[in-house]
Amino acid sequence: MIRFFFDGRPIEAYPGESVAAALRAAGILALRRSPREGSPRGSFCWMGLCQECTVVADGVRRPACRLEVAGGMVVSSGAVP
Amino acid sequence: MSELTFDSAVIGAGVMGANVALWLARGGMRTTLIDRGEICREASGVNAGTLTLHMTRAALIPYAMKGRALWLSSQAWLGADVGARSASGFSLAFTEAEEEMLVKRAEARSAMGAPIRIVTPAEARAIEPGINPTIRAAAFCALDGHVTAYLTGRGYRAALLQAGVALHEGHGVEGIGVSDAGYVIRRCGAAPIHARRIVLAGGVWLETMLAWLGQHVSVRCLINQLIVTERMRPVMRSVVGIANGLLSLKQFENGTVLIGGGWQGKGDPIRGGIEPIPDNLIGNIQLARHAIPALGETRVLRIWLGLESETEDAMPMVGPLPGLTEAYVIGCVHSGYTSAPYIGRLLAERILGREPEQPLFDPARLMKPRQEQA
Amino acid sequence: MSAADLIIVGGGPAGVEAALEAEAHGLSVILMDEAPQAGGQVYRAPPRAFSGAIQRQADPIGVRLRDRLSASRVQQFFDHTVWSVSPGFRVDALGPKGPVSYEARAVLAASGAQERVVPFPGWTRPEIVGLAGATIMLKSQGILPGRLTLVAGQGPLLLIVAIGILKAGGRVAAIVDLASRAEWLADWPALASRPDLAVRGLAWRAKLARAGVPILYRHAIRQVEKVGARRVSVTVGPVAANGMPLAAPLRGFEVDAVAVGNGLTASTDITRLLRAEHHFEPLRGGWAPKLDAYYRSSVSGLYVAGDGAGIAGAAAAACDGRLAGLCIAHDLGTVAEAEFRRAAAPLRRDAARARRFGTAMAKLMALRQGQVQAIPPETVLCRCEDITRAELTRAVGDGARSLNQLKAWTRCGMGPCQGRICGDVVGAVLVVEGGTREDVGQFTGRTPFRPLPLDQLAGDLAYADLKLPPPAPL
Ligand SMILES: Cc1cc2nc3c(=O)[nH]c(=O)nc-3n(C[C@H](O)[C@H](O)[C@H](O)COP(=O)(O)OP(=O)(O)OC[C@H]3O[C@@H](n4cnc5c(N)ncnc54)[C@H](O)[C@@H]3O)c2cc1C
Ligand SMILES: Cc1cc2nc3c(=O)[nH]c(=O)nc-3n(C[C@H](O)[C@H](O)[C@H](O)COP(=O)(O)OP(=O)(O)OC[C@H]3O[C@@H](n4cnc5c(N)ncnc54)[C@H](O)[C@@H]3O)c2cc1C
Ligand code: FES
């Protein structure tokens, strides 16, 4: 297992798995909030289209479903303040 | 009078045609506005919406200042919120050559009445902390701002209907005939429309429209590229450009940032703006990130191309057409979105028989001798 | 910038088969896909770092496809997201090392399908995933949507997902199917063209029955609400044949995940961008590019194969891909007419047979207008911008007729997905308000095909090295 961080919290993951999969397996479903309603959103299409799973990983905004975890990766919610 | 007979017919429902039609109807004329598509879906619905004096041609500054003021008070006279917001504007210089150009251009525009002054990098960054600290100088103008261009059509449509304008969307005009009672406007797939007066407001399609009336003017078609990012944290409050005019940047209230500056793509009046040039796209983005480095945090969502018209002398074509009775043209106005509410109203005043407050731009200067028929 | 005869966008069954066929006939071929390996959506490979046990579960068809591709001379660029295709052709992509671009005489768009979900109140909750999305969680990530999942929507993915969940040790609360049992049976003649799949379908239904999973035919989700920290309550009710909700009886399920999908639509980013002609084919997912018998679109040199040409399924995608590869080689002059005819005939027969089965499946996935009509006003249609049906109706009242005008007036389709998720359903909603799908049109295709991190696109460059056009006039 490798470890990365989501909003400061350490998460265990299998090498090779996507950030979205690792977070969902850890029970973290809401990855951001929608811009107008502020409602919680999480991975939905799993093919890099909907962008609901957008996170900031090591400073870059990316869909978590298409991002492979790496040990020590620092990930935060893709919500925009 | 039949249902398709009008005092005035305006052809082309962009922001120019919409303004003329609105003021003609409010001035008491039975008016129709005709577009082959839907209202404001061309330049007027897809432009950057910058109300900027930094980018306006110096000679047009007085018109742009009036137009800007009208946009900002549109709630009062249009009855709609089209997202018009006042902001301050900067034009930046990063090199010595750019600084020289900045000073020269600021002087020319100030001479025409734009309140532009040169500020130091420290002053600029005090007002707009997001600017790249490596700037050498900046020109500052308190009178800048922006409109959400994609809302234009929705705002105007309601106002036009309320003013009693008969809006005909969805059928293109194919030609215009001259009759005793005025003009016969032939439409594709729909009945002809009759009007005593006509106003051609066809944007980049004006060359074709004028040819229907045997008038030959060449109209250049610019293919302007715009880039929009996804929503991001607030990184800028002002409108930011660069001395050579190749950048326009602003962040809307919803957090998206619009990147423009007149970089070109490929297209033409027939096919529209179809193909961005990847190198131009990357260049425009590099320039934007250089001006506001925080833009590097966000993502590009969409790139589109809009068609802007320009005459041979790059000055507007607004006024009566030579040799015809009660036929007018309006278009090819540089920074035309900014000044449209004002210039459109000036032409309407002229058509209503009143003396416009500022001079129009006589189309006769651009006319070419009739081309030989093949 | 390097060049090839043919660039193929998409490494699913259509793209890979086309690449292999074209290469076998002497073309130089570049294959690009944003995924790390070939296989597409249907044969999506588990990550290489996963253990042998999971690798062994991968569909053998996909494994063979990848093996054949590795043994070929096709130039492969995986982990490359294509974001633009310019006429002529130039293909721009963002790869692990930044932006790249390649040129070719012809382009084959083999970019597959995307999922459509008909919105209902609560559908944006994070417990809910797409049905097609759930197949990816199961086969490529080895995770379950939840401990207890409700599977809903329409089409063959219902069974695939429910069985996948059971096999992986999860539980299925119910299958909620928009179609009736009779509609499934009506497709038996077409299924007979693929006896292997028909038998598999029967075995699956038996397995579901043993596991005690109820199947509610002619039902759909009414709404989903959060209950407690980890669960949602799903209200399900009966529908008429056109998908319109019927009054009673309603049923409730408490689950921790929902997988829901209403069929697939062709991914037409490339053909829309290049202004190829499209037609609306409701029984093949909706809008799709018009093609001739040689897979040529209306844009010279641009070809389309697979689900991107209209939904017909994985088997048809593979056959069409091979044939398209052959046709392109023929058009580019590396296959003589006689040889082409000889080689094409059996391929055309295979493709026709495969399409018959695929079309029957696609029919089960067709959008039902009654379901669209019944979407309640306060329901969000555009997830990115939180635009509700009521806002859309108001814009129509203000005079918006086309999808593009509606977008301008409401921001529906302006967010990060650029209308890829909502476009088809919003088009159908506009039709409810008046007009045809042709009047309403499609969202204009633009670049980039996916959101691009601005920093990666801009790269590192000194200001002095920026190539600037001449200054604007004063
Ligand atoms: C990308 C871009 C960015 C810009 N940014 C700015 C900016 O930031 N600030 C600024 O001030 N200005 C800007 N401009 C300029 C501004 O948008 C234009 O000057 C202005 O919108 C022109 O309006 P118009 O009504 O003349 O033309 P259009 O809006 O193009 O309207 C012409 C209308 O004529 C119709 N038409 C054509 N042929 C026919 C026919 N045969 N029958 C019937 N109807 C027909 C068309 O459908 C169209 O609706 C920009 C322009 C572009 C393209
Ligand atoms: C999420 C999903 C799950 C599915 N699951 C199943 C299933 O379990 N069983 C089944 O029978 N059918 C399934 N289908 C249907 C199945 O995908 C198709 O019938 C079949 O895969 C079509 O093959 P194709 O080659 O046309 O496209 P695909 O297999 O979809 O391949 C298209 C490829 O193009 C790539 N691509 C697209 N756009 C770009 C771009 N801009 N840049 C780079 N690469 C790009 C994609 O990454 C993908 O690998 C599923 C469909 C989807 C959308
Ligand atoms: S889940 Fe849709 S982009 Fe990741």
Side-chain angles (χ1 to χ4, degrees):
Chain A
M1 296 286 266
I2 52 176
R3 173 187 271 198
F4 71 105
F5 300 89
F6 181 73
D7 284 344
R9 190 180 139 187
I11 312 282
E12 302 277 306
Y14 292 101
E17 106 183 296
S18 70
V19 169
L23 289 172
R24 202 161 174 115
I28 299 175
L29 268 54
L31 304 184
R32 48 183 279 279
R33 291 192 163 268
S34 70
R36 258 175 96 203
E37 283 187 343
S39 63
R41 299 296 169 85
S43 48
F44 177 67
C45 75
W46 287 79
M47 55 184 292
L49 284 180
C50 71
Q51 307 296 322
E52 290 281 32
C53 67
T54 299
V55 293
V56 182
D58 293 337
V60 182
R61 293 177 65 76
R62 300 187 53 170
C65 69
R66 298 218 345 99
L67 175 63
E68 194 175 310
V69 284
M73 191 180 249
V74 177
V75 181
S76 59
S77 159
V80 172
Chain B
M1 226 196 306
S2 108
E3 245 185 57
L4 291 178
T5 304
F6 297 90
D7 296 330
S8 300
V10 181
I11 306 171
V15 67
M16 292 297 175
N19 273 295
V20 177
L22 181 67
W23 293 108
L24 289 180
R26 288 189 180 167
M29 279 190 183
R30 221 177 104 78
T31 306
T32 179
L33 177 62
I34 307 165
D35 203 287
R36 60 174 183 186
E38 289 176 286
I39 186 169
C40 292
R41 289 288 317 132
E42 298 293 348
S44 303
V46 306
N47 71 86
T50 316
L51 302 177
T52 183
L53 302 182
H54 283 300
M55 309 245 294
T56 300
R57 300 209 63 194
L60 298 178
I61 295 270
Y63 299 84
M65 288 176 69
K66 293 274 194 178
R68 174 183 180 276
L70 280 169
W71 277 119
L72 293 174
S73 64
S74 54
Q75 192 70 264
W77 61 269
L78 187 65
D81 178 9
V82 287
R85 300 289 180 268
S86 176
S88 50
F90 284 98
S91 181
L92 311 178
F94 291 101
T95 64
E96 206 178 323
E98 282 173 8
E99 188 174 350
E100 220 170 272
M101 187 187 270
L102 186 81
V103 173
K104 210 179 91 208
R105 293 185 158 207
E107 275 168 6
R109 291 185 169 115
S110 312
M112 290 304 293
I116 296 178
R117 64 187 165 90
I118 304 294
V119 296
T120 64
E123 280 176 276
R125 301 236 314 143
I127 303 170
E128 183 55 78
I131 293 176
N132 188 332
T134 68
I135 52 164
R136 290 175 61 100
F140 174 79
C141 177
L143 304 186
D144 213 310
H146 43 83
V147 179
T148 306
Y150 52 75
L151 297 177
T152 317
R154 194 173 190 177
Y156 272 94
R157 199 175 191 278
L160 288 161
L161 294 181
Q162 212 187 3
V165 173
L167 189 58
H168 288 102
E169 293 173 283
H171 296 285
V173 174
E174 310 179 289
I176 299 175
V178 183
S179 77
D180 295 344
Y183 298 91
V184 184
I185 299 152
R186 293 192 301 276
R187 291 185 297 162
C188 187
I193 289 177
H194 302 263
R196 266 178 47 105
R197 300 171 191 79
I198 47 164
V199 181
L200 305 183
V204 298
W205 298 274
L206 274 176
E207 185 172 316
T208 315
M209 289 189 178
L210 287 164
W212 295 333
L213 294 168
Q215 310 237 336
H216 301 284
V217 172
S218 60
V219 173
R220 245 185 92 196
C221 176
L222 306 175
I223 313 291
N224 293 346
Q225 162 185 290
L226 286 176
I227 302 162
V228 73
T229 73
E230 65 182 325
R231 294 167 197 255
M232 70 182 302
R233 69 182 172 92
V235 294
M236 59 192 298
R237 298 185 289 241
S238 7
V239 176
V240 172
I242 178 167
N244 55 25
L246 296 172
L247 181 68
S248 94
L249 266 181
K250 67 183 81 73
Q251 184 168 26
F252 293 106
E253 277 155 24
N254 62 23
T256 61
V257 176
L258 189 62
I259 305 173
W263 292 63
Q264 295 293 291
K266 288 189 192 161
D268 54 56
I270 293 163
R271 295 173 306 158
I274 43 165
E275 186 192 337
I277 300 171
D279 291 336
N280 281 0
L281 168 70
I282 292 172
N284 202 173
I285 285 173
Q286 287 167 331
L287 191 56
R289 190 193 52 175
H290 190 75
I292 304 281
L295 291 180
E297 294 167 17
T298 189
R299 292 184 298 177
V300 171
L301 280 196
R302 188 173 180 89
I303 297 144
W304 68 94
L305 300 166
L307 272 47
E308 183 175 13
S309 54
E310 194 177 83
T311 58
E312 278 178 335
D313 62 8
M315 286 298 282
M317 173 164 62
V318 183
L321 289 169
L324 292 164
T325 30
E326 300 268 33
Y328 305 84
V329 64
I330 181 166
C332 301
V333 184
H334 199 258
S335 288
Y337 190 75
T338 307
S339 37
Y342 184 61
I343 293 195
R345 196 165 173 177
L346 288 182
L347 180 63
E349 295 285 312
R350 168 74 171 72
I351 297 172
L352 290 165
R354 303 176 199 138
E355 186 57 34
E357 186 182 274
Q358 289 195 50
L360 299 175
F361 303 85
D362 189 0
R365 74 179 195 283
L366 301 161
M367 296 292 161
K368 302 201 158 136
R370 193 187 192 91
Q371 277 150 18
E372 290 303 315
Q373 295 288 314
Chain C
M1 201 183 308
S2 18
D5 294 320
L6 170 65
I7 297 177
I8 298 177
V9 182
V16 173
E17 293 291 353
L20 294 171
E21 189 71 16
E23 191 248 1
H25 288 286
L27 296 186
S28 60
V29 180
I30 289 177
L31 178 69
M32 308 188 93
D33 198 304
E34 60 184 336
Q37 297 180 62
Q41 307 301 358
V42 55
Y43 310 126
R44 183 86 78 107
R48 288 202 183 83
F50 277 17
S51 73
I54 297 173
Q55 301 293 350
R56 275 190 295 279
Q57 280 171 24
D59 192 318
I61 303 180
V63 175
R64 257 194 322 273
L65 204 68
R66 286 185 282 277
D67 288 346
R68 283 163 59 217
L69 186 65
S70 336
S72 77
R73 286 192 331 243
V74 172
Q75 300 174 63
Q76 299 157 40
F77 296 88
F78 289 99
D79 278 319
H80 279 70
T81 300
V82 171
W83 61 267
S84 170
V85 176
S86 329
F89 288 92
R90 166 176 162 157
V91 176
D92 280 82
L94 194 60
K97 296 193 190 116
V100 294
S101 63
Y102 299 96
E103 283 181 346
R105 294 153 70 198
V107 164
L108 174 69
S111 44
Q114 55 205 42
E115 186 162 41
R116 165 178 60 211
V117 179
V118 177
F120 48 81
W123 77 302
T124 59
R125 289 213 52 81
E127 292 82 5
I128 302 176
V129 297
L131 199 55
T135 68
I136 291 175
M137 301 172 82
L138 290 161
K139 71 191 159 201
S140 130
Q141 293 293 319
I143 66 163
L144 288 163
R147 272 181 289 267
L148 177 63
T149 306
L150 182 110
V151 178
Q154 59 194 105
L157 291 181
L158 286 173
L159 284 185
I160 294 178
V161 168
I163 289 294
I165 291 173
L166 294 182
K167 277 191 184 156
R171 290 192 300 137
V172 177
I175 297 180
V176 177
D177 190 342
L178 204 57
S180 65
R181 198 195 294 260
E183 285 174 78
W184 283 97
L185 292 175
D187 285 312
W188 271 111
L191 284 176
S193 66
R194 287 293 306 272
D196 50 335
L197 294 181
V199 168
R200 190 178 73 174
L202 283 180
W204 282 355
R205 283 181 193 273
K207 185 174 166 99
L208 288 167
R210 277 198 305 280
V213 176
I215 305 186
L216 303 176
Y217 291 104
R218 280 274 162 86
H219 275 68
I221 297 180
R222 291 290 162 85
Q223 67 169 28
V224 172
E225 283 171 309
K226 185 176 162 63
V227 283
R230 296 261 131 151
R231 307 212 124 197
V232 287
S233 116
V234 187
T235 310
V236 169
V239 296
N242 71 353
M244 182 66 90
L246 299 174
L250 299 184
R251 294 182 57 171
F253 295 89
E254 264 195 31
V255 295
D256 61 359
V258 176
V260 56
N262 295 94
L264 303 174
T265 61
S267 147
T268 54
D269 284 319
I270 297 173
T271 48
R272 275 185 297 134
L273 176 74
L274 295 179
R275 307 291 181 263
E277 281 175 41
H278 290 75
H279 54 171
F280 188 74
E281 284 203 274
L283 298 184
R284 289 193 64 192
W287 285 107
K290 277 190 191 164
L291 303 180
D292 69 7
Y294 295 79
Y295 302 86
R296 302 176 187 124
S297 73
S298 65
V299 174
S300 165
L302 175 65
Y303 299 76
V304 189
D307 274 358
I311 307 303
C319 296
D320 283 327
R322 261 186 92 181
L323 193 49
L326 181 68
C327 290
I328 297 168
H330 168 254
D331 283 0
L332 295 188
T334 60
V335 182
E337 191 63 36
E339 188 195 339
F340 171 72
R341 279 173 199 283
R342 201 169 45 245
L347 292 182
R348 284 203 196 281
R349 272 195 302 277
D350 290 351
R353 183 154 16 93
R355 230 177 279 138
R356 212 163 334 132
F357 174 77
T359 313
M361 292 295 114
K363 205 169 90 196
L364 285 169
M365 296 196 282
L367 192 61
R368 303 196 179 193
Q369 198 61 17
Q371 196 186 13
V372 172
Q373 207 172 326
I375 299 171
E378 68 285 1
T379 312
V380 164
L381 297 185
C382 164
R383 298 171 67 104
C384 295
E385 296 289 322
D386 288 328
I387 309 296
T388 63
R389 174 160 194 192
E391 287 174 277
L392 207 137
T393 306
R394 272 201 300 281
V396 170
D398 282 352
R401 290 287 172 274
S402 71
L403 211 45
N404 288 306
Q405 186 71 299
L406 181 89
K407 170 180 169 174
W409 291 5
T410 62
R411 288 190 61 82
C412 174
M414 278 200 200
C417 93
Q418 287 289 297
R420 292 184 180 92
I421 300 295
C422 67
D424 188 70
V425 171
V426 172
V429 172
L430 272 182
V431 167
V432 173
E433 311 274 350
T436 64
R437 286 301 286 254
E438 285 75 14
D439 297 335
V440 163
Q442 307 184 73
F443 284 133
T444 307
R446 295 285 185 195
T447 56
F449 301 146
R450 305 280 183 273
L452 292 180
L454 198 140
D455 246 353
Q456 287 176 19
L457 203 58
D460 290 318
L461 200 80
Y463 187 68
D465 297 332
L466 255 176
K467 280 191 257 73
L468 297 181
L474 172 62

